[in-house]
Amino acid sequence: MEEPKLDVERHIKYWQRCLKTLLPSQYTSTDSNRMMLGFFILSALDLLGTGADTFPENDRRNIRDWILKCQHPNGGFCGSPNHRFPDAYYVDVGHGRQQMDPANLPATFFAILSLSFVGTLEQVRRDDCLKWLKTLQRDDGSFGELVTQDGTIEGGRDMRYCYIAAGVRWMLKGDTPPIGEEKEGDIDLEKLVDHVRSGQTYDGGISESFQHEPHAGYTCCAISTLSIIHRLPISSSSSGAEAPGLTNIPETIRWLVSRQVGYTEEGEDDEPETKTPARPVLQGVYENEPLVPGLSLQDVDFVGFNGRCNKSVDTCYAYWVTASLDVILFIRIIQNECTDQKQMLGQDRAQLLNIKAARRFLLEQTQHRIGGFGKAPKNPPDIYHSYLGLAALAIMKEPGLKPFDSALCVGAQQKEMIGLLREAALSR
């Protein structure tokens, strides 16, 4: 079977349309998430080699001004200009309460990331943002999305907000552990780690708590959180003064590998409808003995990923699963768990995931004829799944895409740029 290829030019056209023209009417309900959409567009073009550094200076300035218009006067960013009122409307009515919409955590994360493509971080109200970030952390270590006028922290306790908080902290503060008085103005890292640890379930996955069903997206966010703050252990027996962020790395790897599902094209078999359809083939290890006992090693043309047990395949989970494993394996390398790095990067990944079949699923089943990726086979492309589809392929070392940093969900080169921009802002 001839291996499919990523149609780079087609994807570039798709993302340029997203940038320069009106989005379909279905995006109207996502107005409060426009900052997220903007980041996906900028980062996708960067991965494809046509990023903001190739834009005319006037376009870069317009994008930068649009982002900064969403900056909240008391720290953080709003999701779109429609949620950012003139400064005069943010009146203190006592006890720190403001009359207008507060900033929210996801918008702040995506705004800072987006600014790194089109300018500097010097215009970010860094101190205000870090003070505001601290107010979003609850006593149990979790983070919410925003703080209401009465001081209530709103938003779930899941791992997404933990990840975003860790990312904002790293982009503005760096990864130097706080000491002395710095701890007073910093988030509580120990409580954050405790909260992440409390989300690991009996089967190795991670959820909002150990009592909830594990989810691939939450698992990836938890692993990336611990990686960003340097608390991801390479094994359950890791020693050190600080408690490890996860208690059972082997089970987490096992659970992630189990998210692979063999996919059969509709209409591929001409069996009568009265027959009971065959169950999807779960994919395990591809060398000798399976990592997950009982999982089939049968060859299949397409392998997708689901986010939870017994769920359908979805393009985005190709990212959430491969990114999780990529971060875990990278940590093992830099901590010298494996002396043969070539073997670590090659053989282990080949054993854990059916990369060829997963790549084939993305490129032949969910890659769309106009560019981008759909959520599932035969679905139209959307910005969210199109970006995470590209990200998954970048992790798989797809030709035509830049190297990728799975923990921060941007190109590896862009992560280095963010570090340089942060240091430049701090040195002012």
Side-chain angles (χ1 to χ4, degrees):
M1 176 184 292
E2 183 179 353
E3 292 299 322
K5 296 181 180 179
L6 177 70
D7 192 334
V8 173
E9 291 303 317
R10 187 189 307 172
H11 284 275
I12 290 174
K13 290 180 181 178
Y14 169 79
W15 287 107
Q16 288 179 337
R17 283 196 300 273
C18 292
L19 176 68
K20 297 179 180 180
T21 65
L22 295 175
L23 295 175
S25 59
Q26 289 87 342
Y27 285 93
T28 302
S29 62
T30 66
D31 180 76
S32 61
N33 291 320
R34 283 169 67 187
M35 196 64 71
M36 175 190 71
L37 300 179
F39 162 72
F40 286 151
I41 294 169
L42 292 174
S43 190
L45 287 169
D46 177 65
L47 290 178
L48 291 161
T50 56
D53 56 336
T54 67
F55 296 178
E57 179 54 36
N58 187 57
D59 290 352
R60 287 166 52 87
R61 182 172 58 255
N62 288 338
I63 295 172
R64 181 169 62 249
D65 290 345
W66 180 84
I67 297 169
L68 290 171
K69 283 180 182 177
C70 298
Q71 186 166 204
H72 197 281
N74 298 316
F77 286 77
C78 301
S80 84
N82 293 330
H83 293 260
R84 171 61 164 93
F85 293 83
D87 286 354
Y89 288 86
Y90 292 92
V91 179
D92 189 342
V93 295
H95 306 289
R97 298 179 184 178
Q98 304 296 323
Q99 289 187 338
M100 288 301 169
D101 287 348
N104 75 78
L105 187 52
T108 302
F109 177 70
F110 292 119
I112 298 172
L113 284 171
S114 297
L115 277 175
S116 73
F117 289 104
V118 294
T120 71
L121 302 183
E122 294 180 4
Q123 290 178 277
V124 175
R125 297 188 176 97
R126 175 183 173 276
D127 291 342
D128 290 336
C129 190
L130 289 172
K131 290 178 183 176
W132 166 77
L133 180 66
K134 183 177 173 64
T135 67
L136 292 171
Q137 188 172 26
R138 302 184 180 93
D139 290 339
D140 65 0
S142 67
F143 280 82
E145 180 180 2
L146 52 87
V147 179
T148 64
Q149 291 188 20
D150 62 1
T152 303
I153 300 174
E154 293 286 355
R157 284 177 159 79
D158 63 70
M159 301 303 159
R160 293 172 299 176
Y161 299 125
C162 295
Y163 165 63
I164 291 172
V168 169
R169 177 184 181 274
W170 180 83
M171 289 187 285
L172 296 182
K173 190 180 181 67
D175 49 17
T176 304
I179 56 174
E181 295 183 358
E182 290 184 1
K183 288 187 176 181
E184 295 298 321
D186 198 6
I187 63 175
D188 193 322
L189 293 180
E190 294 307 312
K191 285 187 176 181
L192 173 59
V193 173
D194 287 344
H195 177 69
V196 172
R197 188 190 305 112
S198 71
Q200 186 160 21
T201 61
Y202 74 95
D203 54 2
I206 300 170
S207 186
E208 184 173 324
S209 78
F210 70 92
Q211 297 173 316
H212 289 72
E213 182 181 17
H215 187 280
Y218 291 176
T219 300
C220 183
C221 288
I223 290 171
S224 297
T225 298
L226 297 173
S227 174
I228 290 171
I229 63 175
H230 301 292
R231 293 293 293 276
L232 183 66
I234 57 177
S235 67
S236 301
S237 60
S238 296
S239 59
E242 299 170 328
L246 294 179
T247 58
N248 200 331
I249 290 291
E251 283 300 316
T252 300
I253 294 174
R254 183 188 301 270
W255 185 86
L256 288 164
V257 170
S258 300
R259 303 277 60 75
Q260 297 175 99
V261 181
Y263 176 80
T264 302
E265 290 184 278
E266 292 182 11
E268 191 173 286
D269 298 322
D270 294 323
E271 296 181 359
E273 292 184 4
T274 54
K275 277 195 172 185
T276 302
R279 296 186 57 160
V281 179
L282 295 179
Q283 298 299 309
V285 184
Y286 293 86
E287 299 286 341
N288 302 320
E289 297 299 322
L291 177 68
V292 184
L295 294 191
S296 172
L297 299 182
Q298 175 184 343
D299 289 333
V300 292
D301 291 335
F302 306 107
V303 168
F305 296 82
N306 63 21
R308 294 176 289 162
C309 293
N310 300 316
K311 296 296 182 179
S312 300
V313 295
D314 184 324
T315 294
C316 70
Y317 294 116
Y319 168 74
W320 297 121
V321 173
T322 56
S324 299
L325 291 169
D326 189 56
V327 172
I328 291 174
L329 295 182
F330 179 72
I331 294 296
R332 289 179 64 189
I333 291 171
I334 64 175
Q335 296 191 8
N336 298 317
E337 173 79 353
C338 179
T339 56
D340 188 344
Q341 293 189 13
K342 183 176 181 181
Q343 178 187 18
M344 184 68 214
L345 286 170
Q347 182 180 344
D348 273 26
R349 288 185 185 176
Q351 289 179 331
L352 291 173
L353 300 176
N354 189 337
I355 293 295
K356 287 186 178 181
R359 178 180 175 275
R360 206 177 293 132
F361 173 78
L362 291 172
L363 295 178
E364 293 190 11
Q365 297 299 324
T366 66
Q367 180 177 221
H368 200 272
R369 68 183 66 181
I370 68 168
F373 294 85
K375 171 185 173 70
K378 299 184 179 181
N379 283 185
D382 65 81
I383 290 176
Y384 171 75
H385 289 93
S386 294
Y387 181 71
L388 294 187
L390 274 186
L393 289 170
I395 295 171
M396 299 176 195
K397 313 299 182 187
E398 180 70 24
L401 297 177
K402 290 183 177 181
F404 196 77
D405 184 87
S406 297
L408 201 59
C409 198
V410 295
Q413 184 179 3
Q414 191 61 28
K415 182 183 179 181
E416 294 179 4
M417 175 60 69
I418 293 171
L420 294 174
L421 293 175
R422 178 188 63 231
E423 294 308 312
L426 289 175
S427 64
R428 284 193 307 150

